[in-house]
Structures are given as structure tokens and as C-alpha cells.
Amino acid sequence: MLAHPLLQRLGITPREMVLHAILLTGVFVTLFPFYWMILTSVRPAQEVFSAGFTWLPQAFVGLDNFAAALAQAPLLRFMLNGVIICSGILVVQLLTAIPCAYALAKFEFRGRELLFAMTLFALCVPIQVPALPLYVTLAYTGTLDSYFALMVPFFLSVFAIFLFRQVFKSFPDEIIQAARLDGLSEMAILWQIVVPSAGPAIAAFAVFSVTAHWNDLYWPLIVVTSKELAPPPLGMMYFADNETGANFGALMAAATLLTAPLMIAFLFAQRHFIRGVTMTGVK
Amino acid sequence: MTAVTLPETGTATGMRRLGATVAPGIAYWFAAPSVLLLIATLLVPIVVVIGLSFTDYELGALGLSFLGFDNYAELAKDPTFWRSLKNTAYYTVLVVPGSVLIALALAVVICDLSRGRWFYQIAFFLPVTSTLIAMATVWKYLLHGTIGPVNHLFAAVGLPRMEFFGDPTLIMPALAIIGVWQLMGFNMVLFIAGLTAIPADLYEAAAVDGIDRPWERFLTVTLPLLGPTTLFVVVTSSITAFKVFDTVAVLTHGAPQGASDVLLYTTYLEGFQYLRIGPAAAMTVVFLAIIMVLSLLQTRILERKVHY
């Protein structure tokens, strides 16, 4: 097979050409739902129900569907809730997991192995298991339907403890000892010297945590009854329930709005994100 | 851990130990917030949920009585529970091979490219980060019986239209398509990590042995070395698939005719809609047991992977 001169100059063999063609088809199929969502969000309703298939909107309605979606449900409020909940969870997760991981990695103390074993066990337990007792407790203390209720089961991240322990273990003891001789407190050593060196791991975990909680439906569905507290997935569910079938344009506009922040954040932080996944699997 | 038993000399080990040990009190202070949270939000609730599964507790009730294994006996007779378990297993059986095989194929092809690797990784990973609930409503529209583009495509190539969300036999496959779509990018990244860890000289050695066709290379070098990763991905995917909830809660509510009842959705209804905590706790214990078995498998595989 003779390669096209241009392809040769680019260093692409005919075999790679075929692979690219296959992969691009795959990309097309994978991203088609996003395309269809955005397309529908800028088309008029009658086109949605027309029998044929069209690649581009026959009539472009601009942001009408978005305006309709925003008028029907407090979508911006849902997003703000997402930001509040995700940042609240993340801050507490980091503040509690980092010292614990450091203790597990660098200190000798009685019960350390038990604590680590517990961490490994907890890593396997999904939120659905402690959900009933947590719900009953929140109900009895009158704290259901609050930001606190939305965040509390996730304050502890055993995944963060596990991950940061691995990272801290490889931090040189000599530097810690030198800092100690300089008179720094253990707290200062941890937050001023060790933590800054773990930047990439913390970033990877942060992206991971925010994605998980921005997208979580299960727990918000259980504890939240007032609309003003709903995070994006729950907001989307209210919206889909009220709108079933009637207005696909507005529904898709709402979906676009609620998916966009995280997708854009992902595109900026994809390296951290993909590193985060790799760390879960390779450990 | 071994450092403790080492005698403290002026050697490098001694230095290390010096750097690592201080009064134990400080370690407890560092670990205390996490330990308290671990106990309060996880360990105690697990014990309580197991305890509640032996009672007739209902939310708001003043008292409760001990029932022994009655809740479990009821579950064993409950057709909805069995249907949920069966549907969940069916969903898992559909999602795992789909998401693992596609991910493996994508990873192998992408790793073989001289350029464009990062672009494909991002493109295929995008669904993982998307808000599943929002994208599920998009998928419901895509698979819609009359106005969905998938059915337009079927019509164009002469296939019959399919009512994915109205036909009891098609509902779990339809949900599985969404599940595969969301999971495959995650698995692909894990496979790519596994592939990059394979030393290049193994391929060179294979070439010396006359194995140089891509397919042969894949079967003799790649696949065996990817074994532990593959097992890990299969188990992780099974756990994820077994936890299916969102798409059912927002798209189907178990319809049509209970054909999409899944374990977590049934448990959710029982516990948080009907507030029958006892039976819901029993279902949770069954769920926990299944997840624990899968997790044990996962740990075994991880240990093996470390020893590789």
C-alpha cells in the first residue's frame, strides 16, 4: 500500500489511518448524545416531533428554550447548591483526611494497623449501607432537609486517607526531621512542608470528589424535600418529572445547563482527573 | 512497621526512624477527627442497620420488637425482591462485558497510535464526568419509540421501530446501553494505565521469537500481562453495575410492569418512601453481603497485582 505523501510527511501510516477512522467513528457515537442535547436545546418544539432526522436545526430559536427552562425551574439555584455542597464536603474531607493519612504514613502508634484495616474495609462500603440509620438519626435530630444533612455522610473520605497515605509515605523523613530540628510544630510541618509537595494528588482527589458529589442523586433524593436545597441531579429530576415529554427543547436546555459546569471544569482539569482514575485502579 | 524493631543506631535506618517517630499523642490527635467520623457515619450505622434488620421498626414508631429472621424469611417469599435481584444481575451481566470489552479495544488501539492519544482519551472519558441524570433524559429521548434518532436510524435501514422504554424485554438492555456508555471511558483509562506499565522489551523479545503480527502480539504478550488489570476492571465494573439506581429512579421507576425493578431502587422505596425500616434494613444487609463478596475478590486481585 502506498501512503499519500502528505500522510507520510505527517508520519501517519495507512494502518494508523484506518485506526483513526475507527476511533473517530467511536468518538462520534460516544459524543452524539451531547450533540443531540445541544441541538435540541436550540430547536423549536415542532421539529422535535417531526418524523424525519435532521443534522442541523431547520429553525434556530436561539436561547428561547434556555429562557423557558430557567423560567420553569431555579436551575441557577440548583447549580449554586451544587457548588456549596461540593466545596463544603471537599474542605472537610481534606481537613480530616490529610492529618489522618499523615499519621498512618509517618507515625508509630498503637491501633495504627487496626485503623488502616478499617479504612480498607470502609473503602468497600457504599453510601446505601449506612443510609437508613443516618436518615433516622437526622430525622430525630430535626436536621433533615439542610445543607448539613446533604454533606454529613461524605465528610469522611476513606479514599482520600488511602490515597494521601500512599503519597505521604514517599515523602523523605530527613526533611521532616530537619524541619523538626528547626523548631516547627508537627502541624506546621504537615501543612507547610508535606502538603504542598502533594499538590497533584490533592488536585486529583479534589476533581474526583467534586464530580462524585455534583453528580450524586441517591443521598439528596433521600434527605431533601425543599426545592431550594436541591443539587443539580435532583433539580434535573424535578424538572424531568414535571416536563415529561411535553417540552423536549426546555428539557434539553436544562440538561445542557446542569451538565456544562462540570464538563467545562473537566476539560480544564482532565490531566488531574485521568490521573485520579489511574490512582484508584493502580493504587 | 519494621522500623520499630530495628535497633536505633546512627545508620540511615536509624535516621529514618528518628524522622518518623514522635510522642504517640500527636498521632492520635491527627487521626481523631477521621476516627470519630468513621465511627459515627460508618461503623455504628452498619451495626445499627444489621440490628434493625431483625426488628419491625418503622420510622416514627415509638417502640420496636425483635423479630429474629422474620424479615429475611419475608424477603425470601417476596416476588418483588427476587425480581429486583434478578434484574440487577441481568443489568450487571449486560453492562460488564460491554463496558470492559469496548474499553479494552479502545485502550489497545489508542496505545498503538503515534499521535492523538490524549484527544481520544478525553473524548471517550467525557461521559464519565457528565451528570448521569441529565444525560439519562437525553438517552431516553435518543431511544424514544417514535421521535428518537435511534429509531429514525432503524427505520432508515429497514429495521422495525423499538419501544425501548415501553417493552419489558427491552428496558434492561436500554438501561444497560446508558450504563455502558457512562462506564467504558473509566475502564479505558484503567486499561491504558495497565498497558503503559507493560515493558517495551517484552514486545521486542516477542519480535525476536517471530511474533510480530499485531494480533499475535496482543494474544501472547498484551493479554496475559493485562490479566490482573482485566480482572480488576471486571470486578470494579460489576460493583458499579450492581449499584444501578439513578437511571431507574429518574427514567423508569421500575416500569414497565416491574421489568426494571433493581435492588437499590426497591430498597429505597421500602425504606424511604414506605418507611418500613426493618425489611429495608434486611435488603440492605443482602446488598452489603453481595458488595463485600465482590470487594473481597477485588482485594485478592489487587494483592496479586502487587506481587506480579
Side-chain angles (χ1 to χ4, degrees), chain B residues 106-179:
Chain B
L106 287 176
V108 169
V109 174
I110 288 173
C111 280
D112 217 22
L113 295 175
S114 54
R115 55 184 69 208
R117 287 172 63 158
W118 200 254
F119 164 76
Y120 290 118
Q121 268 202 53
I122 294 171
F124 288 116
F125 198 77
L126 218 49
V128 180
T129 61
S130 66
T131 307
L132 183 58
I133 295 314
M135 296 317 292
T137 58
V138 178
W139 272 104
K140 190 172 186 181
Y141 174 22
L142 288 173
L143 298 174
H144 193 284
T146 44
I147 59 170
V150 171
N151 268 310
H152 285 321
L153 183 73
F154 282 1
V157 295
L159 286 168
R161 286 180 178 275
M162 295 211 196
E163 280 291 342
F164 286 101
F165 287 87
D167 183 338
T169 58
L170 288 178
I171 187 67
M172 288 323 284
L175 293 176
I177 289 172
I178 306 175

Side-chain angles (χ1 to χ4, degrees), chain A residues 15-210:
Chain A
R15 185 172 160 273
E16 283 210 347
M17 271 285 288
V18 176
L19 294 182
H20 279 293
I22 297 169
L23 284 172
L24 285 172
T25 316
V27 168
F28 170 78
V29 175
T30 309
L31 299 186
F32 187 77
F34 297 110
Y35 170 74
W36 197 252
M37 171 176 79
I38 295 166
L39 175 72
T40 310
S41 72
V42 295
R43 312 204 284 188
Q46 64 268 26
E47 266 186 47
V48 171
F49 295 101
S50 70
F53 177 92
T54 47
W55 282 109
L56 290 170
Q58 305 298 296
F60 179 71
V61 295
L63 298 178
D64 287 4
N65 286 322
F66 286 89
L70 285 167
Q72 270 160 22
L75 297 178
L76 298 176
R77 176 80 217 186
F78 298 153
M79 284 193 263
L80 176 68
N81 290 336
V83 172
I84 294 171
I85 295 159
C86 290
S87 41
I89 290 174
L90 180 64
V91 167
V92 181
Q93 281 178 337
L94 291 178
L95 287 178
T96 55
I98 285 174
C100 182
Y102 184 66
L104 281 173
K106 292 293 184 193
F107 293 147
E108 296 289 341
F109 59 94
R110 271 172 75 109
R112 188 179 76 154
E113 300 207 8
L114 177 69
L115 178 57
F116 188 57
M118 281 293 146
T119 309
L120 292 183
F121 163 75
L123 217 44
C124 310
V125 181
I127 170 69
Q128 287 85 3
V129 176
L132 278 168
L134 288 175
Y135 175 78
V136 172
T137 312
L138 290 168
Y140 272 104
T141 50
T143 41
L144 277 177
D145 205 23
S146 66
Y147 284 123
F148 175 75
L150 281 162
M151 297 189 275
V152 66
F154 310 108
F155 279 158
L156 175 77
S157 170
V158 277
F159 173 56
I161 296 177
F162 186 84
L163 187 66
F164 295 147
R165 175 186 163 271
Q166 301 289 91
V167 177
F168 293 157
K169 261 177 101 94
S170 59
F171 190 86
D173 290 331
E174 288 77 9
I175 297 178
I176 298 174
Q177 183 59 10
R180 217 168 264 156
L181 291 175
D182 285 346
L184 258 71
S185 71
E186 295 297 322
M187 269 290 178
I189 293 172
L190 171 59
W191 292 101
Q192 290 168 23
I193 296 172
V194 181
V195 167
S197 79
I202 293 174
F205 171 74
V207 183
F208 219 79
S209 162
V210 168

